[in-house]
Amino acid sequence: MSWNWNSHGLPFLPGYSFPDVTKSAFHRPQTLDFKNGYALPRRPAVGIGQDPLLSEQLIQQEISELSFQNPDATYGSFKQSLAEEFIPAHVALDKKVLYFQAYFEESVLYSPDEEYRIRPVDIYYYLEDDSMCIIEPVVENSGIQQGKRLKRQQLPKNERGDRYLWKDLNLGMELEVYGVKYHITQCDPFTKEFMESEGIVLNGPVPMPVDPYGKRRKNLQPSFTTPSEFDSMYRFLNMDRKVLRFFALWDESDSLYGETRPVTIHYFLVDDTVEIRAVHEPNSGRDPFPIVMRRQKLPKKIKPESEGFPRCVLEVSTEEVDEYYSPEDFQVGQTMKLLGRRFQLYDCDGFTKEYYQKNHPDLEMKTIKIPKKTDRLQEKKKEIPAYNGFGSLEDSLQNCLSLNPEPPKKNMLQMLENGNKVLRFSARLDSQDSEDEGRRFVLSYFLADDMISIFEKPTRNSGIIGGKFLEKTRIPKPGSTVENPEFYSPADFAIGATVEVFSHRFVLTDADYFVLKYLESISSQIPVQTLDSLRQKLCEKKPQKVQRKNI
């Protein structure tokens, strides 16, 4: 019997082992070392009697076994088999679902018509986490709470706690879940392919049994009902909101103050009622009542025995009426009598034309022109009063166009281009009085706003005070109308031309050099006679240069 002795000289037995009180490091030593990128077990230090070369040789041998020292593998002369990439189940089986069709029987108590019902369901099996959910398709107006029967979860298989797996599912089997037996009948192609790939042979599909209650509802017992002459429900479903619209004239010309008034006649196809609406014109003098006749059925023929019925007091019922108005009685281009009043139909809308072309092609819907009213007042043309001489012509015209007059609009572009440009002319007064012979004037034409001002030069001992003769204003030509006035322009100012300014006649005698320069820049808009008169006059004024002779 050999004994293991510890450092204290005691046998290594329970009760004889004592901890080293001098020990200060209690960490667990490393058991692996890394050499050349490989994890190797740590070798103990070489003890007495061990060959260090042998231990080193063993280590190098293990390293060479772990490392591929084949030069072909190092330089890639042959294909090395790589390890397959590991894909977890939640990634490989994500969105892969097995689909089964099934049904379960539900017993019906206390019903003489049925004993049970067949309720179809859809079973979804999620391969990702082996969970299942059961959904019943929703049927409208079934009166049964349908939809999701079991939310997604792992369904128990037995009392031991086992769960249903995809291996347990097959066609024709019964899946019992929480006391309900589901009979699996069909599956989709993906489910069939998956099962066969895993080595499971699926059974043949099972037909879905017929629900006796649903079959009885499809084959209803024939009911014998007497058809009514007027099927109101059919007409409501097919003719609701379909209205024939006619445009007519209400002729009241035979009355004392009668006239012809436009109206609109609506014929409702859903119940053969008629409505007449008035078309109001502006300033007609009539109250804006929209309805001429409320919506009602109009009798066309009264029974002979009911001719003495007091229709003006009591409403006419079906017992007194032999025939009502129908769409065949309304024809465009004819005059019809409704409740003792004459209406001339002259046009209809597009829907009405299509309805008559489809249902009554023999009736001709021809649009006629509206006859002119004899009592309609002819619209008088607005007459602008004559110019009274106060203010400018444009300001006076604005007072006639609106109740709150606004200043006339100005040409801002013309004002910006010709802000400080003025054409100046010398003029004399053309008058029969001998006192006006010596009077001289300066006529200024402002290109910014086409206005004219006249200034009189003062003359000594003339007895006439000079100065401003006319403020800046636009001067119309003689004979221009107030509606379309024609004003003087630079093309009218030629040397020798006469300018009439509010019954005063001025004859142009001279002009500035700037006038000729400006008019030549717009020569396409100026008559040739005007330019020639200015050139001739200004060339006469131009001083001749004195030629020096060499002595």
PDB file of all heavy atoms in Angstrom, residues 80-96:
ATOM      1  N   GLN A  80      -9.557  22.787 -51.852  1.00  0.00           N
ATOM      2  CA  GLN A  80      -9.676  22.331 -50.481  1.00  0.00           C
ATOM      3  C   GLN A  80     -11.148  22.350 -50.082  1.00  0.00           C
ATOM      4  O   GLN A  80     -11.854  23.316 -50.345  1.00  0.00           O
ATOM      5  CB  GLN A  80      -8.855  23.231 -49.555  1.00  0.00           C
ATOM      6  CG  GLN A  80      -8.931  22.823 -48.096  1.00  0.00           C
ATOM      7  CD  GLN A  80      -8.130  23.780 -47.220  1.00  0.00           C
ATOM      8  OE1 GLN A  80      -7.447  24.651 -47.757  1.00  0.00           O
ATOM      9  NE2 GLN A  80      -8.201  23.606 -45.922  1.00  0.00           N
ATOM     10  N   SER A  81     -11.641  21.309 -49.501  1.00  0.00           N
ATOM     11  CA  SER A  81     -13.044  21.236 -49.100  1.00  0.00           C
ATOM     12  C   SER A  81     -13.276  22.173 -47.919  1.00  0.00           C
ATOM     13  O   SER A  81     -12.640  22.034 -46.877  1.00  0.00           O
ATOM     14  CB  SER A  81     -13.407  19.802 -48.719  1.00  0.00           C
ATOM     15  OG  SER A  81     -12.621  19.374 -47.632  1.00  0.00           O
ATOM     16  N   LEU A  82     -14.144  23.145 -48.128  1.00  0.00           N
ATOM     17  CA  LEU A  82     -14.438  24.116 -47.077  1.00  0.00           C
ATOM     18  C   LEU A  82     -15.594  23.617 -46.236  1.00  0.00           C
ATOM     19  O   LEU A  82     -16.492  22.922 -46.709  1.00  0.00           O
ATOM     20  CB  LEU A  82     -14.807  25.470 -47.699  1.00  0.00           C
ATOM     21  CG  LEU A  82     -13.719  26.101 -48.571  1.00  0.00           C
ATOM     22  CD1 LEU A  82     -14.229  27.410 -49.169  1.00  0.00           C
ATOM     23  CD2 LEU A  82     -12.452  26.353 -47.765  1.00  0.00           C
ATOM     24  N   ALA A  83     -15.572  23.997 -45.009  1.00  0.00           N
ATOM     25  CA  ALA A  83     -16.657  23.620 -44.106  1.00  0.00           C
ATOM     26  C   ALA A  83     -17.920  24.392 -44.469  1.00  0.00           C
ATOM     27  O   ALA A  83     -17.869  25.563 -44.836  1.00  0.00           O
ATOM     28  CB  ALA A  83     -16.244  23.898 -42.659  1.00  0.00           C
ATOM     29  N   GLU A  84     -19.066  23.746 -44.391  1.00  0.00           N
ATOM     30  CA  GLU A  84     -20.329  24.398 -44.720  1.00  0.00           C
ATOM     31  C   GLU A  84     -20.648  25.478 -43.691  1.00  0.00           C
ATOM     32  O   GLU A  84     -20.382  25.322 -42.496  1.00  0.00           O
ATOM     33  CB  GLU A  84     -21.453  23.360 -44.757  1.00  0.00           C
ATOM     34  CG  GLU A  84     -21.300  22.340 -45.864  1.00  0.00           C
ATOM     35  CD  GLU A  84     -22.469  21.386 -45.904  1.00  0.00           C
ATOM     36  OE1 GLU A  84     -23.361  21.537 -45.033  1.00  0.00           O
ATOM     37  OE2 GLU A  84     -22.485  20.520 -46.778  1.00  0.00           O
ATOM     38  N   GLU A  85     -21.259  26.557 -44.196  1.00  0.00           N
ATOM     39  CA  GLU A  85     -21.595  27.678 -43.315  1.00  0.00           C
ATOM     40  C   GLU A  85     -22.771  27.292 -42.427  1.00  0.00           C
ATOM     41  O   GLU A  85     -23.777  26.741 -42.888  1.00  0.00           O
ATOM     42  CB  GLU A  85     -21.968  28.908 -44.143  1.00  0.00           C
ATOM     43  CG  GLU A  85     -22.261  30.134 -43.304  1.00  0.00           C
ATOM     44  CD  GLU A  85     -22.651  31.322 -44.162  1.00  0.00           C
ATOM     45  OE1 GLU A  85     -22.684  31.143 -45.399  1.00  0.00           O
ATOM     46  OE2 GLU A  85     -22.922  32.399 -43.605  1.00  0.00           O
ATOM     47  N   PHE A  86     -22.645  27.584 -41.183  1.00  0.00           N
ATOM     48  CA  PHE A  86     -23.699  27.230 -40.224  1.00  0.00           C
ATOM     49  C   PHE A  86     -24.807  28.284 -40.295  1.00  0.00           C
ATOM     50  O   PHE A  86     -24.553  29.487 -40.179  1.00  0.00           O
ATOM     51  CB  PHE A  86     -23.128  27.170 -38.806  1.00  0.00           C
ATOM     52  CG  PHE A  86     -24.194  26.991 -37.751  1.00  0.00           C
ATOM     53  CD1 PHE A  86     -24.840  25.773 -37.609  1.00  0.00           C
ATOM     54  CD2 PHE A  86     -24.564  28.054 -36.937  1.00  0.00           C
ATOM     55  CE1 PHE A  86     -25.826  25.613 -36.653  1.00  0.00           C
ATOM     56  CE2 PHE A  86     -25.544  27.890 -35.982  1.00  0.00           C
ATOM     57  CZ  PHE A  86     -26.180  26.673 -35.828  1.00  0.00           C
ATOM     58  N   ILE A  87     -26.034  27.836 -40.522  1.00  0.00           N
ATOM     59  CA  ILE A  87     -27.197  28.720 -40.593  1.00  0.00           C
ATOM     60  C   ILE A  87     -28.145  28.304 -39.485  1.00  0.00           C
ATOM     61  O   ILE A  87     -28.586  27.143 -39.446  1.00  0.00           O
ATOM     62  CB  ILE A  87     -27.902  28.619 -41.954  1.00  0.00           C
ATOM     63  CG1 ILE A  87     -26.942  29.001 -43.076  1.00  0.00           C
ATOM     64  CG2 ILE A  87     -29.132  29.524 -41.993  1.00  0.00           C
ATOM     65  CD1 ILE A  87     -27.530  28.848 -44.462  1.00  0.00           C
ATOM     66  N   PRO A  88     -28.496  29.177 -38.580  1.00  0.00           N
ATOM     67  CA  PRO A  88     -29.411  28.790 -37.496  1.00  0.00           C
ATOM     68  C   PRO A  88     -30.798  28.498 -38.036  1.00  0.00           C
ATOM     69  O   PRO A  88     -31.177  28.901 -39.133  1.00  0.00           O
ATOM     70  CB  PRO A  88     -29.390  30.014 -36.566  1.00  0.00           C
ATOM     71  CG  PRO A  88     -28.938  31.141 -37.424  1.00  0.00           C
ATOM     72  CD  PRO A  88     -28.019  30.552 -38.447  1.00  0.00           C
ATOM     73  N   ALA A  89     -31.588  27.818 -37.208  1.00  0.00           N
ATOM     74  CA  ALA A  89     -32.925  27.371 -37.642  1.00  0.00           C
ATOM     75  C   ALA A  89     -33.870  28.541 -37.852  1.00  0.00           C
ATOM     76  O   ALA A  89     -34.698  28.536 -38.765  1.00  0.00           O
ATOM     77  CB  ALA A  89     -33.500  26.401 -36.605  1.00  0.00           C
ATOM     78  N   HIS A  90     -33.763  29.577 -37.011  1.00  0.00           N
ATOM     79  CA  HIS A  90     -34.694  30.707 -37.146  1.00  0.00           C
ATOM     80  C   HIS A  90     -34.438  31.513 -38.415  1.00  0.00           C
ATOM     81  O   HIS A  90     -35.296  32.292 -38.828  1.00  0.00           O
ATOM     82  CB  HIS A  90     -34.602  31.611 -35.921  1.00  0.00           C
ATOM     83  CG  HIS A  90     -33.292  32.343 -35.801  1.00  0.00           C
ATOM     84  ND1 HIS A  90     -32.180  31.785 -35.209  1.00  0.00           N
ATOM     85  CD2 HIS A  90     -32.920  33.593 -36.223  1.00  0.00           C
ATOM     86  CE1 HIS A  90     -31.180  32.638 -35.246  1.00  0.00           C
ATOM     87  NE2 HIS A  90     -31.589  33.743 -35.848  1.00  0.00           N
ATOM     88  N   VAL A  91     -33.257  31.323 -39.030  1.00  0.00           N
ATOM     89  CA  VAL A  91     -32.974  31.983 -40.302  1.00  0.00           C
ATOM     90  C   VAL A  91     -33.323  31.072 -41.475  1.00  0.00           C
ATOM     91  O   VAL A  91     -33.930  31.500 -42.467  1.00  0.00           O
ATOM     92  CB  VAL A  91     -31.501  32.420 -40.376  1.00  0.00           C
ATOM     93  CG1 VAL A  91     -31.178  33.029 -41.734  1.00  0.00           C
ATOM     94  CG2 VAL A  91     -31.184  33.402 -39.258  1.00  0.00           C
ATOM     95  N   ALA A  92     -32.969  29.789 -41.374  1.00  0.00           N
ATOM     96  CA  ALA A  92     -33.214  28.870 -42.480  1.00  0.00           C
ATOM     97  C   ALA A  92     -34.702  28.592 -42.667  1.00  0.00           C
ATOM     98  O   ALA A  92     -35.167  28.409 -43.791  1.00  0.00           O
ATOM     99  CB  ALA A  92     -32.467  27.548 -42.234  1.00  0.00           C
ATOM    100  N   LEU A  93     -35.461  28.580 -41.565  1.00  0.00           N
ATOM    101  CA  LEU A  93     -36.884  28.238 -41.642  1.00  0.00           C
ATOM    102  C   LEU A  93     -37.788  29.462 -41.467  1.00  0.00           C
ATOM    103  O   LEU A  93     -38.981  29.307 -41.183  1.00  0.00           O
ATOM    104  CB  LEU A  93     -37.238  27.182 -40.579  1.00  0.00           C
ATOM    105  CG  LEU A  93     -36.443  25.878 -40.661  1.00  0.00           C
ATOM    106  CD1 LEU A  93     -36.828  24.959 -39.512  1.00  0.00           C
ATOM    107  CD2 LEU A  93     -36.673  25.190 -42.003  1.00  0.00           C
ATOM    108  N   ASP A  94     -37.250  30.641 -41.662  1.00  0.00           N
ATOM    109  CA  ASP A  94     -38.056  31.841 -41.512  1.00  0.00           C
ATOM    110  C   ASP A  94     -39.061  31.956 -42.667  1.00  0.00           C
ATOM    111  O   ASP A  94     -38.708  31.716 -43.829  1.00  0.00           O
ATOM    112  CB  ASP A  94     -37.152  33.073 -41.483  1.00  0.00           C
ATOM    113  CG  ASP A  94     -37.938  34.341 -41.213  1.00  0.00           C
ATOM    114  OD1 ASP A  94     -38.988  34.269 -40.553  1.00  0.00           O
ATOM    115  OD2 ASP A  94     -37.512  35.421 -41.683  1.00  0.00           O
ATOM    116  N   LYS A  95     -40.319  32.287 -42.330  1.00  0.00           N
ATOM    117  CA  LYS A  95     -41.403  32.465 -43.288  1.00  0.00           C
ATOM    118  C   LYS A  95     -41.710  31.195 -44.081  1.00  0.00           C
ATOM    119  O   LYS A  95     -42.259  31.261 -45.179  1.00  0.00           O
ATOM    120  CB  LYS A  95     -41.089  33.606 -44.256  1.00  0.00           C
ATOM    121  CG  LYS A  95     -40.929  34.961 -43.588  1.00  0.00           C
ATOM    122  CD  LYS A  95     -40.619  36.036 -44.595  1.00  0.00           C
ATOM    123  CE  LYS A  95     -40.433  37.377 -43.904  1.00  0.00           C
ATOM    124  NZ  LYS A  95     -40.129  38.464 -44.856  1.00  0.00           N
ATOM    125  N   LYS A  96     -41.383  30.043 -43.528  1.00  0.00           N
ATOM    126  CA  LYS A  96     -41.748  28.769 -44.139  1.00  0.00           C
ATOM    127  C   LYS A  96     -42.845  28.151 -43.275  1.00  0.00           C
ATOM    128  O   LYS A  96     -42.606  27.778 -42.117  1.00  0.00           O
ATOM    129  CB  LYS A  96     -40.543  27.831 -44.240  1.00  0.00           C
ATOM    130  CG  LYS A  96     -39.492  28.337 -45.229  1.00  0.00           C
ATOM    131  CD  LYS A  96     -38.371  27.345 -45.407  1.00  0.00           C
ATOM    132  CE  LYS A  96     -37.365  27.850 -46.446  1.00  0.00           C
ATOM    133  NZ  LYS A  96     -36.263  26.894 -46.663  1.00  0.00           N
TER     134      LYS A  96
END
